[in-house]
Amino acid sequence: MLDNLQLLFVYAPVMNIQMILDGIFVGAVFALSAYGLALVWGVMNVKNLAQGDFVIMGGYVAFSLYKLGIHPVIAIPIVAVCMFMFGWIVYIMIIRRVIDNDMFVSLLATFGLSLLLQQVMNLIYGPEVQTIDSHFPIFTMFDDFVTIPVVKIVSLALAMIFALAVVIFMKKSRMGQAIRATAQDARAARVLGINTDNVYAFTYSLNASICGVAGVLVSMIWVLQPFYGIVYSLRTFAIVTAAGLGNLPAVIGMSFALGWVEQYAGIIAGAEWQVASAVFMLLGVLMWRQIQLRRQRQVVR
Amino acid sequence: MTKNQILLYLAIAISGVVGPILFPNYIQQMAVLWIMVLMASTWDITGGQMGYNSLGNITFFGVGMYISAVIQVSMFYDIALYTASYGAIKPVFTDEQYFSGLAMGILAGGVGCVVLARLLGAVVFGLRGPYFAIGTLGVAIAAGQIAGTIDTIGGGAGISMPFFPWDIHYPVDLLLHHLFCACDSCHISPSAGCFQLSLVWLQMQSVMMKIKLKPWVFQL
């Protein structure tokens, strides 16, 4: 551990640039799925624990298309549409029945959905780690200390473009307005003639679609495995609880922060601690929130 | 308890005893069934009676399992050497060694989980509602990841447990096999597991919660 710290800060401080860049590249993926979760949580009050499995599923759809000879960058719109339809089906079959219930029911239902998706993906694709080779060149800088695969830059750009498209959609389009209205006051929206059931279905499907796109980026820059989804769920929860709902700049900032924390934990304590560090960050954030809330909590003495 | 309930429980108990004798090919499945009954009742205690919806009960399942496995092996062998061989070399356990190790292991697993629960409880009971559920789920996953990094207990490959020393041809042995099935033939690894006394932990924890909650309740 001390050796790694020495390496990082004394012998080759230029490696920090690599860490920071990698943190930004993976953070962009986290930001997409976290934005989807914030959307669903804010609009429908459904805590979607299947978030990470949607990400992995989108990646596997792209993987199947890649096997058919379609480049992942071209596959992004196809995956978005596929995941949109899948999200709609999931909404009709599961989420609609739990949406009015106790909030814990939605958590349990989506947890069950997540386990189901994991097993189905395991049956179809097997437990091996998969990745997509997108044939982009790799740059090196600073005497080969910093390597920047072009695919990561491309994925960052794609994430930015997609996020921008979603934000513009939410601001400008009729459906986006309806979603925002429903988030503010579902009952009033219903009174004013918005079909909230449709809005909920659309929101959930949009979330699935955003996750799917994030999954394509994961499959390009990282690896896919059927059981990695739950870790993405925890990461998105950590980001959203830290950033708050409907606060896009904070979501992006927290995503990059989480990316950096994971990168540094990975290099300092060992690769296995990457996931654990994300979980500890989640716990830390939750504790911090609770301490904040405790200040405001009032007890009759 | 009404008469019907007593009869029902009696029927369940008898089916538990007679089942493995009648259907010897399904012993493993029946053992898993009873473990799941136990796990479900832990959920009943935390989620139902305590009111804390925990998705992380499995943490104590895994920790208890590891503690008992390590105790059982390290009473007679060097645990680091044992796990380093990845189950290729099977040290011979005599009956006495196996059962004393198992008893100590189960006991230590229960006690260890209680201690861990006290420490973890200080952290996670600050959380409420869905945050508690997600926080405990996170703890469970982190525990799995961390267990995978410790080489002494086998790292990602896990620990292969010693074999059950008796033959399993006779009904009595069959019953014992049924009881010990979980500890015996399962290959323990960080992601998949068998049970230890997580129930004990949860009961203790709920008792502690009542003690902890008392001043609070009186304030209301």
Side-chain angles (χ1 to χ4, degrees):
Chain A
M1 192 188 226
L2 213 61
D3 291 349
N4 293 335
L5 274 173
Q6 247 179 356
L7 178 72
L8 206 54
F9 294 110
V10 180
Y11 296 125
V14 96
M15 273 177 77
N16 284 301
I17 297 174
Q18 172 93 59
M19 302 280 105
I20 289 166
L21 283 177
D22 277 351
I24 288 174
F25 292 141
V26 297
V29 176
F30 298 160
L32 272 187
S33 60
Y35 183 65
L37 181 69
L39 199 65
V40 164
W41 195 336
V43 175
M44 306 159 69
N45 200 19
V46 166
K47 287 141 197 83
N48 188 24
L49 260 181
Q51 195 79 0
D53 299 282
F54 285 172
V55 171
I56 297 293
M57 193 179 157
Y60 270 121
V61 174
F63 181 73
S64 301
L65 291 171
Y66 173 70
K67 289 274 172 196
L68 294 175
I70 298 170
H71 195 273
V73 175
I74 300 162
I76 284 180
I78 307 171
V79 172
V81 171
C82 285
M83 290 303 291
F84 192 89
M85 292 191 299
F86 176 74
W88 204 289
I89 293 166
V90 168
Y91 176 80
I92 288 171
M93 285 173 68
I94 299 169
I95 307 298
R96 179 189 272 164
R97 291 163 215 285
V98 299
I99 198 165
D100 289 330
N101 277 326
D102 178 17
M103 68 186 157
F104 196 73
V105 178
S106 74
L107 202 63
L108 269 188
T110 51
F111 188 54
L113 177 69
S114 135
L115 293 179
L116 179 73
L117 284 179
Q118 280 175 16
Q119 295 301 335
V120 169
M121 284 187 288
N122 191 21
L123 280 178
I124 298 175
Y125 296 99
E128 291 85 18
V129 171
Q130 311 275 20
T131 188
I132 295 178
D133 183 9
S134 43
H135 303 294
F136 282 115
I138 296 173
F139 284 132
T140 54
M141 294 196 301
F142 300 108
D143 298 336
D144 290 355
F145 267 115
V146 180
T147 58
I148 305 173
V150 171
V151 63
K152 289 190 175 175
I153 297 172
V154 169
S155 81
L156 179 65
L158 288 172
M160 278 161 68
I161 290 168
F162 193 75
L164 206 65
V166 171
V167 168
I168 289 171
F169 172 82
M170 291 293 288
K171 283 259 156 41
K172 300 285 176 194
S173 78
R174 185 79 187 145
M175 193 43 134
Q177 283 178 341
I179 289 173
R180 284 185 293 139
T182 313
Q184 280 177 9
D185 193 336
R187 195 152 159 252
R190 217 173 296 141
V191 169
L192 292 172
I194 293 172
N195 185 350
T196 48
D197 193 42
N198 247 343
V199 168
Y200 286 154
F202 190 90
T203 311
Y204 199 78
S205 315
L206 184 64
N207 167 45
S209 163
I210 293 172
C211 284
V213 172
V216 180
L217 302 182
V218 167
S219 74
M220 275 159 56
I221 65 171
W222 231 346
V223 291
L224 294 171
Q225 210 263 357
F227 300 110
Y228 283 0
I230 193 77
V231 181
Y232 285 95
S233 302
L234 288 174
R235 282 171 181 146
T236 46
F237 268 96
I239 292 164
V240 171
T241 34
L245 304 173
N247 189 353
L248 192 57
V251 165
I252 293 169
M254 274 309 295
S255 306
F256 289 158
L258 186 68
W260 290 326
V261 166
E262 281 196 13
Q263 292 296 322
Y264 273 99
I267 199 98
I268 291 169
E272 301 91 343
W273 286 83
Q274 270 193 344
V275 174
S277 72
V279 171
F280 288 136
M281 192 163 156
L282 168 67
L283 272 182
V285 164
L286 288 173
M287 301 310 299
W288 180 58
R289 285 266 145 166
Q290 287 297 328
I291 292 165
Q292 269 192 331
L293 283 178
R294 183 168 284 174
R295 284 204 203 112
Q296 296 160 10
R297 200 178 286 161
Q298 292 180 342
V299 181
V300 183
R301 292 192 189 279
Chain B
M1 209 188 277
T2 62
K3 201 179 168 190
N4 279 344
Q5 269 179 323
I6 293 172
L7 281 177
L8 184 67
Y9 284 128
L10 214 62
I12 292 172
I14 289 171
S15 76
V17 173
V18 180
I21 304 171
L22 290 180
F23 309 104
N25 289 337
Y26 296 96
I27 290 178
Q28 183 82 43
Q29 284 84 342
M30 274 185 270
V32 172
L33 173 89
W34 285 105
I35 294 166
M36 286 303 127
V37 169
L38 202 59
M39 282 307 290
S41 58
T42 65
W43 226 92
D44 172 53
I45 291 169
T46 43
Q49 296 174 25
M50 227 165 85
Y52 272 76
N53 294 307
S54 162
L55 292 179
N57 286 357
I58 204 74
T59 318
F60 298 96
F61 193 89
V63 169
M65 158 184 116
Y66 262 108
I67 290 176
S68 78
V70 167
I71 294 277
Q72 191 183 357
V73 173
S74 62
M75 271 172 76
F76 307 104
Y77 292 97
D78 184 358
I79 183 77
L81 278 177
Y82 182 89
T83 51
S85 68
Y86 291 111
I89 309 158
K90 277 281 171 204
V92 181
F93 280 75
T94 62
D95 290 7
E96 197 184 323
Q97 283 180 336
Y98 184 87
F99 287 111
S100 61
L102 189 64
M104 284 303 292
I106 289 177
L107 212 64
V111 173
C113 278
V114 172
V115 172
L116 177 72
R118 200 70 198 88
L119 298 175
L120 261 186
V123 180
V124 293
F125 278 129
L127 310 175
R128 291 285 185 279
Y131 298 103
F132 182 78
I134 296 158
T136 47
L137 177 67
V139 167
I141 288 167
Q145 293 285 334
I146 292 166
T149 66
I150 305 172
D151 286 331
T152 321
I153 58 168
I159 308 173
S160 311
M161 295 305 292
F163 285 124
F164 187 73
W166 296 354
D167 283 344
I168 50 166
H169 294 302
Y170 304 104
V172 179
D173 302 344
L174 212 65
L175 279 181
L176 278 167
H177 183 259
H178 183 174
L179 280 174
F180 296 130
C181 213
C183 316
D184 158 41
S185 51
C186 279
H187 178 87
I188 292 181
S189 77
S191 52
C194 64
F195 95 104
Q196 278 308 335
L197 298 181
S198 48
L199 184 68
V200 175
W201 161 69
L202 286 161
Q203 281 166 342
M204 296 289 281
Q205 194 58 51
S206 61
V207 170
M208 282 168 189
M209 274 312 290
K210 276 168 199 155
I211 294 167
K212 235 168 91 179
L213 278 177
K214 243 177 204 164
W216 221 79
V217 173
F218 281 124
Q219 278 168 15
L220 292 174

